Amino acid sequence: MTAEADADTRTGTTLISALTARARAAAHPHTPAAPCACAGTPLADRPDATVVRHAGTVAKAHAPDTDPAALALRVTTAARLPDVLLPPLTPAPAPLHDRLVTFWPYGVPVDPDDPDAAPWESAATLLALLHRAPVPAGLPPMRGPAKAARAIGRLHAVLRATPDAVARAAARPVLAAWAGLPAWARAAAPMPGPAALCHGDLHLGQLVRHPAPDGPWKLIDVDDLGAGVPAWDLARPAAWYACGLLPPDEWTRFLTAYRQAGGPAVPPDGDPWPALDVPARALTVQTAALAVTKALAAGRPPDEVEQAVVDACARMPAIPPRRTPGIPD
């Protein structure tokens, strides 16, 4: 282990310990500090988020570069939409070391080992309700395109460290598909309007049942919440369907439930793809960029699923792009 990696490990351990103490204090606000037999465990430890649980409380340390005012607005928005978004336990983020921390009730996540029980209809209905809600004044843009651009940046970084022909061949269709997207989908221009309230990073890991264990489904993770193109929130399942990774019946369940709930991202009937085409392409490129980055960093070729999204990128230039009404090229 290098000295830099060792320092990162020590920093991460210190953060988890401090965050666990904060979660314990939030879970037992009226009890003096003392040894506690309640269940507590780290749920995630990544550069952009460290999350721990203590009993029924979850504490999240957000990325070091998180904008305090933007995060406060996003947390406030979740508090105002408790039927859609998991509401926070406290109204304002708290500082901890160089991070901002928010506190949330624990909810039961989707079981990754039971794909047949995936709550596609609930996810779609929650998205429709979110998209129909008023956009709070001052809320920043949703961060979906920015996250896609960040994935491309990571791919460029690993290519600079792995400059062989095989690596560049794996990345070439991904970068070509990225270059073919309109500027707004690459975070190189403002998103078109009218803007809706968007989640910004919808996938099944962003749903929990609250109250645990069998309450209604709620959306979690407000880090990418903001004003933007609502079709972006449908783009990941749409892309998976287009790549053959999501069965047609599950995509149909999702799309039908969204339409029945009055979601504005697509027309109420007819072909949804004129609205979904650009966001679905962008999410496919983002997924492929992360897949190739992971494979190259591990010194291996992409696996079967990773190659499927790379192959989808390779097919994109041959598909005439469909113009989305109101969305500039």
Side-chain angles (χ1 to χ4, degrees):
M1 179 181 290
T2 66
E4 182 179 357
D6 188 49
D8 289 343
T9 298
R10 290 196 302 271
T11 299
T13 302
T14 299
L15 178 62
I16 289 176
S17 296
L19 193 60
T20 300
R22 289 288 185 92
R24 183 171 58 247
H28 308 296
H30 305 297
T31 303
C36 178
C38 295
T41 184
L43 301 179
D45 186 18
R46 307 185 306 270
D48 64 334
T50 299
V51 185
V52 302
R53 174 193 175 192
H54 185 85
T57 296
V58 173
K60 178 176 182 177
H62 298 260
D65 61 351
T66 297
D67 179 82
L71 180 59
L73 274 170
R74 289 174 168 128
V75 172
T76 299
T77 301
R80 291 175 177 171
L81 296 171
D83 293 334
V84 179
L85 296 161
L86 185 71
L89 292 174
T90 54
L96 178 66
H97 297 294
D98 62 342
R99 312 288 279 270
L100 291 170
V101 176
T102 53
F103 300 94
W104 308 85
Y106 175 72
V108 176
V110 175
D111 184 354
D113 296 325
D114 188 8
D116 292 337
W120 289 113
E121 290 89 349
S122 295
T125 299
L126 289 170
L127 280 183
L129 295 173
L130 184 71
H131 295 164
R132 290 168 49 193
V135 178
L139 192 69
M142 68 93 171
R143 297 176 61 234
K147 292 190 74 169
R150 188 170 65 191
I152 293 295
R154 291 174 61 185
L155 177 57
H156 279 299
V158 78
L159 284 172
R160 287 192 293 271
T162 316
D164 59 88
V166 174
R168 294 193 175 278
R172 190 174 297 117
V174 181
L175 297 177
W178 177 254
L181 292 170
W184 73 265
R186 293 182 280 110
M191 281 177 279
L197 181 57
C198 301
H199 183 274
D201 188 30
L202 189 279
H203 53 80
L204 290 179
Q206 305 287 34
L207 290 104
V208 298
R209 285 191 179 276
H210 176 73
D214 53 6
W217 291 104
K218 304 287 178 67
L219 293 171
I220 63 170
D221 191 356
V222 299
D223 286 301
D224 303 309
L225 190 75
V229 177
W232 195 278
D233 284 343
L234 281 66
R236 185 171 272 110
W240 289 349
Y241 164 65
C243 293
L245 301 176
L246 182 68
D249 64 322
E250 294 187 11
W251 165 246
T252 300
R253 286 165 47 200
F254 176 81
L255 180 63
T256 300
Y258 182 83
R259 283 173 154 167
Q260 289 177 343
V266 295
D269 50 38
D271 184 6
W273 284 100
L276 295 175
D277 186 68
V278 167
R281 288 172 182 247
L283 262 294
T284 301
V285 174
Q286 176 183 334
T287 302
L290 293 173
V292 173
T293 298
K294 181 179 178 181
L296 293 180
R300 59 169 177 80
D303 63 25
E304 183 178 357
V305 173
E306 292 166 342
Q307 190 61 50
V309 289
V310 172
D311 291 344
C313 291
R315 293 193 297 269
M316 283 184 193
I319 304 172
R322 302 185 221 189
R323 183 174 176 79
T324 301
I327 297 181
D329 294 331

